[in-house]
Coordinates of all heavy atoms in Angstrom, one line a residue:
V3 N 114.0 102.4 87.6 CA 114.5 101.1 88.0 C 114.4 100.1 86.8 O 113.4 100.1 86.2 CB 113.6 100.5 89.2 CG1 114.1 99.1 89.6 CG2 113.7 101.5 90.4
D4 N 115.5 99.4 86.6 CA 115.6 98.6 85.3 C 115.6 97.2 85.6 O 116.5 96.7 86.3 CB 116.8 99.1 84.6 CG 117.0 98.6 83.2 OD1 116.2 97.7 82.8 OD2 117.9 99.0 82.5
F5 N 114.7 96.4 85.1 CA 114.7 95.0 85.2 C 115.7 94.3 84.2 O 116.0 93.2 84.3 CB 113.3 94.4 84.8 CG 112.4 94.3 86.0 CD1 111.3 95.1 86.0 CD2 112.6 93.5 87.1 CE1 110.4 95.1 87.1 CE2 111.7 93.5 88.2 CZ 110.6 94.3 88.2
G6 N 116.3 95.1 83.3 CA 117.2 94.6 82.3 C 116.6 93.7 81.4 O 115.4 93.8 81.0
E7 N 117.3 92.7 81.0 CA 116.8 91.7 80.0 C 116.0 90.6 80.7 O 116.5 89.9 81.6 CB 118.0 91.1 79.2 CG 117.5 90.1 78.1 CD 118.7 89.5 77.3 OE1 119.8 90.0 77.5 OE2 118.4 88.6 76.5
L8 N 114.8 90.4 80.3 CA 114.0 89.3 80.8 C 114.1 88.1 79.9 O 114.3 88.2 78.7 CB 112.5 89.8 80.9 CG 112.2 91.0 81.8 CD1 110.8 91.3 81.8 CD2 112.7 90.7 83.2
K9 N 113.9 86.9 80.5 CA 114.0 85.7 79.8 C 112.8 84.8 80.0 O 112.1 84.9 81.0 CB 115.3 85.0 80.2 CG 116.6 85.7 79.9 CD 117.8 85.0 80.4 CE 119.1 85.8 80.2 NZ 120.3 85.1 80.6
Q10 N 112.6 83.9 79.1 CA 111.5 82.9 79.2 C 112.1 81.7 80.1 O 112.5 80.8 79.5 CB 111.0 82.4 77.9 CG 110.2 83.4 77.1 CD 109.8 82.9 75.7 OE1 110.5 82.4 75.0 NE2 108.5 83.1 75.4
E11 N 112.0 81.9 81.4 CA 112.4 80.8 82.3 C 111.7 80.9 83.6 O 111.1 82.0 83.9 CB 113.9 81.0 82.5 CG 114.4 82.3 83.1 CD 115.9 82.4 83.2 OE1 116.6 81.8 82.4 OE2 116.3 83.1 84.1
D12 N 111.7 79.8 84.3 CA 110.9 79.7 85.5 C 111.7 80.2 86.7 O 112.1 79.5 87.6 CB 110.5 78.3 85.7 CG 109.4 78.1 86.9 OD1 108.9 79.2 87.3 OD2 109.2 77.0 87.3
T13 N 112.0 81.5 86.7 CA 112.7 82.2 87.8 C 112.1 83.5 88.1 O 111.4 84.1 87.2 CB 114.2 82.4 87.4 OG1 114.3 83.2 86.2 CG2 114.9 81.1 87.2
K14 N 112.4 84.0 89.2 CA 111.9 85.4 89.6 C 113.1 86.3 89.6 O 114.2 86.0 90.0 CB 111.3 85.3 91.0 CG 110.1 84.5 91.2 CD 109.6 84.4 92.6 CE 108.3 83.7 92.7 NZ 108.5 82.2 92.4
K15 N 112.9 87.5 89.0 CA 114.0 88.5 88.9 C 113.7 89.7 89.9 O 112.6 90.3 89.9 CB 114.1 89.0 87.5 CG 115.3 89.9 87.3 CD 115.6 90.0 85.8 CE 117.0 90.7 85.6 NZ 117.3 90.8 84.2
D16 N 114.6 89.9 90.8 CA 114.5 91.0 91.7 C 115.5 92.1 91.4 O 116.6 91.9 91.0 CB 114.9 90.5 93.1 CG 114.0 89.4 93.6 OD1 112.8 89.3 93.1 OD2 114.4 88.6 94.5
V17 N 115.0 93.4 91.6 CA 115.8 94.6 91.4 C 115.5 95.5 92.6 O 114.5 95.5 93.2 CB 115.6 95.3 90.1 CG1 116.0 94.5 88.9 CG2 114.1 95.7 89.9
A18 N 116.6 96.2 93.0 CA 116.5 97.1 94.1 C 116.0 98.5 93.8 O 116.2 99.0 92.7 CB 117.9 97.2 94.8
Y19 N 115.4 99.1 94.8 CA 115.1 100.6 94.7 C 115.2 101.1 96.1 O 115.2 100.4 97.1 CB 113.7 100.8 94.2 CG 112.5 100.4 95.1 CD1 112.0 101.4 96.0 CD2 112.1 99.1 95.2 CE1 111.0 101.1 96.9 CE2 111.1 98.8 96.1 CZ 110.5 99.8 96.9 OH 109.5 99.4 97.8
T20 N 115.4 102.4 96.2 CA 115.4 103.1 97.6 C 114.6 104.3 97.6 O 114.4 105.0 96.6 CB 116.9 103.5 97.9 OG1 117.4 104.4 97.0 CG2 117.8 102.2 98.0
V21 N 114.0 104.6 98.8 CA 113.3 105.8 99.1 C 113.9 106.4 100.3 O 114.0 105.7 101.3 CB 111.8 105.5 99.3 CG1 111.1 106.8 99.6 CG2 111.2 104.9 98.0
T22 N 114.3 107.7 100.3 CA 115.1 108.3 101.4 C 114.5 109.6 101.8 O 114.1 110.4 100.9 CB 116.5 108.5 101.0 OG1 117.1 107.3 100.6 CG2 117.3 109.1 102.1
L23 N 114.4 109.8 103.1 CA 114.0 111.1 103.6 C 115.3 111.9 103.8 O 116.0 111.7 104.7 CB 113.3 110.9 105.0 CG 112.9 112.2 105.7 CD1 111.9 113.1 104.8 CD2 112.3 112.0 107.1
D24 N 115.5 112.8 102.9 CA 116.8 113.6 102.9 C 116.8 114.7 103.9 O 117.8 115.0 104.5 CB 117.0 114.2 101.5 CG 117.3 113.1 100.4 OD1 118.2 112.3 100.6 OD2 116.5 113.0 99.4
E25 N 115.6 115.3 104.0 CA 115.5 116.5 104.9 C 114.1 116.6 105.5 O 113.1 116.4 104.8 CB 115.8 117.8 104.1 CG 115.8 119.1 104.8 CD 116.1 120.2 103.9 OE1 117.0 120.2 103.1 OE2 115.3 121.2 104.0
V26 N 114.1 117.0 106.8 CA 112.8 117.2 107.4 C 113.0 118.3 108.5 O 114.0 118.3 109.2 CB 112.2 116.0 108.0 CG1 113.1 115.4 109.1 CG2 110.8 116.2 108.6
N27 N 112.0 119.2 108.6 CA 112.1 120.3 109.5 C 110.7 120.4 110.3 O 109.7 120.3 109.7 CB 112.4 121.6 108.8 CG 113.7 121.6 108.2 OD1 114.8 121.6 108.8 ND2 113.7 121.6 106.8
N28 N 110.8 120.6 111.6 CA 109.6 121.0 112.4 C 108.6 119.8 112.6 O 107.5 120.0 113.0 CB 108.9 122.2 111.9 CG 109.8 123.4 111.8 OD1 110.6 123.7 112.7 ND2 109.7 124.1 110.7
L29 N 109.1 118.6 112.3 CA 108.2 117.4 112.5 C 108.4 116.9 114.0 O 109.5 116.9 114.5 CB 108.6 116.3 111.6 CG 107.7 115.0 111.6 CD1 106.5 115.3 110.8 CD2 108.5 113.8 111.0
D30 N 107.2 116.6 114.6 CA 107.3 116.0 115.9 C 107.4 114.5 115.8 O 106.4 113.8 115.5 CB 106.0 116.4 116.7 CG 106.0 115.8 118.1 OD1 106.9 115.0 118.4 OD2 105.0 116.1 118.8
P31 N 108.6 113.9 115.9 CA 108.8 112.5 115.6 C 108.0 111.6 116.6 O 107.9 110.4 116.3 CB 110.3 112.3 115.7 CG 110.7 113.4 116.7 CD 109.8 114.6 116.4
D32 N 107.6 112.1 117.7 CA 106.8 111.3 118.7 C 105.4 111.2 118.3 O 104.6 110.3 118.8 CB 107.0 111.8 120.1 CG 108.4 111.7 120.6 OD1 109.1 110.7 120.2 OD2 108.9 112.7 121.3
A33 N 104.9 112.1 117.5 CA 103.5 112.2 117.2 C 103.2 112.2 115.7 O 102.0 111.9 115.3 CB 102.9 113.4 117.8
Q34 N 104.1 112.5 114.9 CA 103.9 112.6 113.4 C 104.9 111.7 112.7 O 105.9 111.4 113.1 CB 104.1 114.1 113.0 CG 103.1 115.1 113.6 CD 103.5 116.5 113.2 OE1 104.6 116.9 113.5 NE2 102.6 117.2 112.5
Q35 N 104.5 111.5 111.4 CA 105.4 110.8 110.5 C 105.1 111.2 109.1 O 104.0 111.8 108.8 CB 105.3 109.3 110.6 CG 103.9 108.7 110.1 CD 103.9 107.2 110.2 OE1 104.5 106.6 111.1 NE2 103.1 106.6 109.3
I36 N 106.0 111.1 108.2 CA 105.8 111.3 106.8 C 105.5 110.0 106.1 O 106.4 109.2 106.0 CB 107.0 112.1 106.1 CG1 107.2 113.4 106.9 CG2 106.7 112.3 104.6 CD1 108.5 114.0 106.5
S37 N 104.3 109.7 105.8 CA 103.9 108.5 105.2 C 104.1 108.5 103.7 O 103.8 109.5 103.0 CB 102.4 108.1 105.5 OG 102.3 108.0 106.9
V38 N 104.6 107.4 103.1 CA 104.8 107.3 101.7 C 103.9 106.1 101.2 O 103.9 105.0 101.8 CB 106.2 107.0 101.3 CG1 106.4 106.9 99.8 CG2 107.1 108.1 101.9
Y39 N 103.1 106.4 100.2 CA 102.3 105.4 99.5 C 102.7 105.2 98.1 O 103.3 106.1 97.5 CB 100.8 105.8 99.6 CG 100.2 106.0 101.0 CD1 100.4 107.1 101.7 CD2 99.4 105.0 101.5 CE1 99.9 107.3 103.0 CE2 98.9 105.1 102.8 CZ 99.1 106.3 103.5 OH 98.6 106.4 104.8
V40 N 102.4 104.1 97.5 CA 102.8 103.8 96.1 C 101.7 103.0 95.4 O 101.0 102.1 96.0 CB 104.1 103.1 96.0 CG1 104.1 101.7 96.6 CG2 104.7 103.1 94.6
K41 N 101.5 103.2 94.1 CA 100.6 102.4 93.3 C 101.0 102.5 91.9 O 101.9 103.3 91.5 CB 99.2 102.9 93.4 CG 99.0 104.3 92.9 CD 97.5 104.8 93.0 CE 97.3 106.2 92.5 NZ 95.9 106.7 92.6
N42 N 100.5 101.6 91.0 CA 100.7 101.7 89.6 C 99.9 102.9 89.1 O 98.9 103.3 89.6 CB 100.1 100.4 88.9 CG 100.6 100.3 87.5 OD1 101.7 100.1 87.2 ND2 99.6 100.3 86.6
Q43 N 100.4 103.5 88.0 CA 99.9 104.7 87.5 C 98.4 104.7 87.2 O 97.7 105.7 87.4 CB 100.6 105.2 86.3 CG 100.4 104.4 85.0 CD 101.1 105.0 83.8 OE1 101.9 104.3 83.2 NE2 100.9 106.2 83.5
N44 N 97.8 103.5 86.8 CA 96.4 103.5 86.5 C 95.6 102.7 87.5 O 94.4 102.4 87.3 CB 96.3 102.8 85.1 CG 96.9 103.6 84.0 OD1 96.7 104.8 83.9 ND2 97.6 102.9 83.1
A45 N 96.2 102.4 88.7 CA 95.5 101.6 89.7 C 94.4 102.5 90.3 O 94.6 103.7 90.6 CB 96.5 101.1 90.7
T46 N 93.3 101.8 90.7 CA 92.2 102.5 91.4 C 91.7 101.6 92.5 O 91.9 100.3 92.4 CB 91.0 102.8 90.5 OG1 90.5 101.6 89.9 CG2 91.4 103.8 89.3

C-alpha cells in the first residue's frame, strides 16, 4: 500500500487497502468465523 509523495502540510492523507476471504470450506457460519488481526511488525 503506497502513500505516494508526502508533503509538509496540515492535511491527512488516506489510502485504501482491502482484505478478502477468497475461499472457505467446512466452516459453520452460525458458530464460527475467521478472525483477522493486524499490528505493526515490532508492536508488542
Side-chain angles (χ1 to χ4, degrees):
V3 176
D4 189 351
F5 276 112
E7 182 178 354
L8 300 180
K9 299 179 180 178
Q10 288 181 311
E11 58 186 28
D12 190 15
T13 60
K14 296 178 175 66
K15 189 161 191 179
D16 298 336
V17 292
Y19 72 92
T20 58
V21 179
T22 301
L23 177 61
D24 294 304
E25 180 182 316
V26 61
N27 299 289
N28 304 316
L29 184 79
D30 180 354
D32 294 324
Q34 299 173 300
Q35 68 180 29
I36 303 166
S37 298
V38 180
Y39 297 82
V40 66
K41 65 181 179 179
N42 192 65
Q43 69 178 122
N44 296 317
T46 62

